[in-house]
Amino acid sequence: MPAERPRPTIADVAERAGVSKGLVSFALNGRPGVSPQTRDRILEVARELGWQPSLRARALSVNRAFALGLVITRDPEIITGDPFYPSFIAGVERELAPAGQALVLSVVPDEEAELAAYRKLVADRRVDGVFITDLRHDDARIELARELNVPAVTLGHPETPSPFPAVSMDDRAGIEAAVDHLVRLGHRRIAHVAGPARMLHGSRRRRAFEDAMARAGLPADLVVETDFRAADGARATRDLLAPPDAPTAIVYANDPMAIAGLGFAQRTGLRVPDDLSITGFDGSDVGEHLFPALSTVATEAAGWGAVAARVLLRSIAGEEPGDTDLPPARFVPRESTAPAPPSPPANG
Amino acid sequence: MPAERPRPTIADVAERAGVSKGLVSFALNGRPGVSPQTRDRILEVARELGWQPSLRARALSVNRAFALGLVITRDPEIITGDPFYPSFIAGVERELAPAGQALVLSVVPDEEAELAAYRKLVADRRVDGVFITDLRHDDARIELARELNVPAVTLGHPETPSPFPAVSMDDRAGIEAAVDHLVRLGHRRIAHVAGPARMLHGSRRRRAFEDAMARAGLPADLVVETDFRAADGARATRDLLAPPDAPTAIVYANDPMAIAGLGFAQRTGLRVPDDLSITGFDGSDVGEHLFPALSTVATEAAGWGAVAARVLLRSIAGEEPGDTDLPPARFVPRESTAPAPPSPPANG
DNA sequence: ATCGGAGGCTATACCGGTTTAGGTGAGTCC
DNA sequence: GGACTCACCTAAACCGGTATAGCCTCCGAT
């Protein structure tokens, strides 16, 4: 067994090159005050020795973590179905890796643990900045991040005044396009299976639904609030379809619920889209392969992650990046939406 | 604006308590050689000052990162549908958070970037140990981890001799149960839509399928290899159903493909399960809400993550945890499997 | 000839912990 | 009463980088 050779330090490089530690540091960081020959010699020796800077030592002396923090709050059940985060994270990584930064991920079951997770991340100085996703009304995390004095970026504009840059994607447009599409197809009774009202995107999508309905001169009286879980989608669909004046179209606030809703409708013998039109939200690729393929609203989660990461890095670097607006979510009509069925003969 | 007060260091605590830095360190780490009164005083002062140890300083001096690394290799397309990792990560976190450890996540597009990611994680000493998931034949990561001299845990037993503890879940049992179930229902032409052969679980599930078929005295001639993507599931299903002697049941190696396969079958007018039975793998909760609800193999990804994390932590602590076998994956019959349709009249 | 200044470099403090070698004083043993 | 032990504590080195003050040396300007 070969002896465990300790990795070379900057002192080894300095000694071998016959200069001081400080000069090595200067040379390696490309700072002025080092003659070209000396610089080359130092670089050469460093290469020769296979020297790699110790991120830990650097972290301690420059007081940086070289990492960003993401806290995901999801009850364990819902997390499996949600297509958003995996894509979002892939986008974040695309930006972080080349910048030599890492992503520290925390997955917590509830909002209490969430705040604790942010506190811990910052207390340990594990990260230089944090993502704040899934904004809620009166979101305590804004205040917490301010109090902890940690750079942050919010996904979407918070309601309360926030000192942090926001990277937003207009999801209203997608919902409105979905409703308009359904209205054009002749639907009059359109329901919405909404996300939790305490979440900004939950209530914003609902509001967009209501506005679009109002513009079409239709009542937005069929709205069910849920927790974004597939099971909720099935339950909400059951409740919506039970009464005699059931909707002919349902706009779901995410794909897993739409898929479950589709399943429920089919189970009761309804034909989708002939008897009932259905739209989802977030464009998981599996929806494309259902029968009927799910009409949905595509949100470019990966691009969102990349931009948010970039903004956060600039924010940490001391710039003050303004708010960013991403291209709005696009409605993608597929097969689960069709002209409204002929209305049943009026009763009386 | 309040002046940015620097956080207290161990020196501040020492001074205020009238002792040396070293003694404070001893007291706070509960080491012997500190009188009870002094210890209490130090603890009190630390509390009073709101002192929090600097993880960075600790990391530098004890040469630990207090973090574990997970590298996920997924082409951006597939990642959205796969229910495994989100659950797995949630399980890992459940174990790490109480242990004061963090998870550093890397998401990379291909195997080349994967090796680079491991190297980088270790070169930067960002992590004290790594998870090796999605084992492949002749997996280069085993050798890399050994070379990098970093503790690791593998999900499943690698084929090549490995110095690392393995945490395994027998997925053969689930596949076999699925096949047995189909055979009992009278199916004779059963196909398998397999994962990539280069992946251990891909080929192992395929092998389990073949073995189960052999035991039932049936030919395992209908196997299509794929890349685990939903689109692959649809394509494979199309190819399987085209010939005249099409299968009456298909065992898919994961849920997204099964869902896409279900969609394709329905699209061609086949009734599932009456004309075609279908089983998935990995038990995403959305499958439960499809119509018909997807029969699948449940794998307890969260439990797997928790155990793997625990094993890795023990491994880092210098113990030599043996291999662990988790309860085997269970077949969960739901609605997408039914008795085989009566065979068509033989031709000639 | 003298001074000023810039370029190139060294020495050293510093980040905030942990760890080790040693020092003190009280009690014990013979 | 001297040596020894032990509990408790301090001082200082150390982890591996970065940052800063200051020291030469050489050059051109006066």
Side-chain angles (χ1 to χ4, degrees), chain B residues 3-91:
Chain B
E4 187 69 29
R5 200 190 353 253
R7 54 155 57 185
T9 75
I10 201 169
D12 299 326
V13 176
E15 187 187 11
R16 178 97 163 245
V19 296
S20 69
K21 271 172 59 174
L23 200 65
V24 174
S25 174
F26 274 39
L28 291 161
N29 294 315
R31 314 219 317 194
V34 188
S35 80
Q37 310 91 291
T38 313
R39 173 188 312 279
D40 289 351
R41 183 157 40 90
I42 291 174
L43 262 35
E44 170 62 20
V45 169
R47 228 186 31 71
E48 211 172 291
L49 254 39
W51 175 80
Q52 306 247 159
S54 156
L55 201 67
R56 282 176 200 157
R58 235 148 83 71
L60 181 60
S61 71
V62 303
N63 201 27
R64 289 260 283 121
F66 306 104
L68 268 33
L70 176 61
V71 178
I72 300 183
T73 311
R74 278 287 191 270
D75 79 69
E77 192 189 342
I78 193 181
I79 202 166
T80 69
D82 193 342
F84 179 79
Y85 276 109
S87 298
F88 178 78
I89 290 173

Side-chain angles (χ1 to χ4, degrees), chain A residues 4 7 52 55-57 59-60 63-67 77 79-80 83 86-87 89 93 100-107 123-126 128 149 230-231 234 259-260 263 266-267 285-286 289-291 293 335, chain B residues 4 7 52 55-57 59-60 63-67 77 79-80 83 86-87 89 93 100-107 122-126 149 230-231 234 259-260 263 266-267 285-286 289-291 293 335:
Chain A
E4 187 69 30
R7 55 154 58 186
Q52 308 247 158
L55 201 67
R56 283 176 200 157
L60 181 59
N63 200 27
R64 288 258 283 122
F66 304 105
E77 191 189 344
I79 202 166
T80 70
S87 299
I89 291 173
E93 290 281 353
Q101 309 280 318
L103 178 68
V104 175
L105 180 65
S106 241
V107 177
D124 285 350
R125 294 270 201 269
R126 290 238 191 222
D128 300 317
N149 205 35
I259 295 174
Q266 293 175 330
R267 181 174 306 274
D285 60 338
V286 75
H289 299 284
L290 297 176
F291 179 69
E335 300 168 347
Chain B
E4 187 69 29
R7 54 155 57 185
Q52 306 247 159
L55 201 67
R56 282 176 200 157
L60 181 60
N63 201 27
R64 289 260 283 121
F66 306 104
E77 192 189 342
I79 202 166
T80 69
S87 298
I89 290 173
E93 289 281 354
Q101 309 279 319
L103 179 68
V104 175
L105 180 66
S106 242
V107 176
V122 175
D124 285 351
R125 293 272 201 269
R126 290 240 191 221
N149 205 34
I259 295 174
Q266 292 175 331
R267 180 176 306 273
D285 61 337
V286 75
H289 299 283
L290 297 175
F291 179 70
E335 301 167 347

Side-chain angles (χ1 to χ4, degrees), chain A residues 46-309:
Chain A
R47 228 186 31 71
E48 210 173 292
L49 254 40
W51 176 80
Q52 308 247 158
S54 156
L55 201 67
R56 283 176 200 157
R58 236 148 82 70
L60 181 59
S61 74
V62 303
N63 200 27
R64 288 258 283 122
F66 304 105
L68 268 34
L70 175 61
V71 178
I72 300 183
T73 311
R74 277 288 191 272
D75 80 69
E77 191 189 344
I78 193 182
I79 202 166
T80 70
D82 192 343
F84 179 78
Y85 276 110
S87 299
F88 179 78
I89 291 173
V92 168
E93 290 281 353
R94 216 163 60 206
E95 211 58 37
L96 293 197
Q101 309 280 318
L103 178 68
V104 175
L105 180 65
S106 241
V107 177
V108 297
D110 55 48
E111 295 179 20
E112 189 187 328
E114 176 184 60
L115 291 181
Y118 279 102
R119 278 188 192 284
K120 180 78 175 150
L121 238 31
V122 175
D124 285 350
R125 294 270 201 269
R126 290 238 191 222
V127 298
D128 300 317
V130 294
F131 296 92
I132 300 183
T133 64
D134 281 336
L135 284 175
R136 297 182 292 265
H137 295 282
D138 253 330
D139 203 304
R141 291 171 296 171
I142 307 281
E143 188 45 40
L144 179 62
R146 193 210 315 268
E147 174 195 325
L148 295 175
N149 205 35
V150 64
V153 59
T154 57
L155 264 61
H157 296 276
E159 281 180 330
T160 46
S162 154
F164 305 115
V167 176
S168 311
M169 172 174 299
D170 178 16
D171 48 1
R172 299 179 49 101
I175 291 282
E176 284 163 8
V179 172
D180 291 352
H181 180 246
L182 291 168
V183 169
R184 267 197 308 278
L185 289 171
H187 292 272
R188 291 297 170 263
R189 294 291 287 162
I190 305 175
H192 179 47
V193 176
R198 71 179 184 290
M199 303 189 81
L200 239 50
H201 54 290
S203 52
R204 193 177 49 237
R205 290 175 198 172
R206 176 190 186 142
R207 185 65 191 277
F209 171 78
E210 290 166 347
D211 289 353
M213 289 294 279
R215 264 207 309 280
L218 298 172
D221 55 333
L222 296 174
V223 177
V224 183
E225 185 185 328
T226 70
D227 266 342
F228 269 143
R229 290 187 301 249
D232 294 333
R235 197 161 32 238
T237 307
R238 183 197 60 202
D239 294 348
L240 285 168
L241 295 180
D245 62 340
T248 60
I250 306 181
V251 174
Y252 293 83
N254 74 358
D255 264 22
M257 292 198 299
I259 295 174
L262 170 62
F264 181 86
Q266 293 175 330
R267 181 174 306 274
T268 61
L270 284 176
R271 290 165 307 158
V272 177
D274 310 84
D275 301 325
L276 178 70
S277 284
I278 276 179
T279 70
F281 201 105
D282 258 356
S284 51
D285 60 338
V286 75
E288 192 177 337
H289 299 284
L290 297 176
F291 179 69
L294 187 64
S295 299
T296 190
V297 176
T299 51
E300 275 286 0
W304 206 347
V307 173

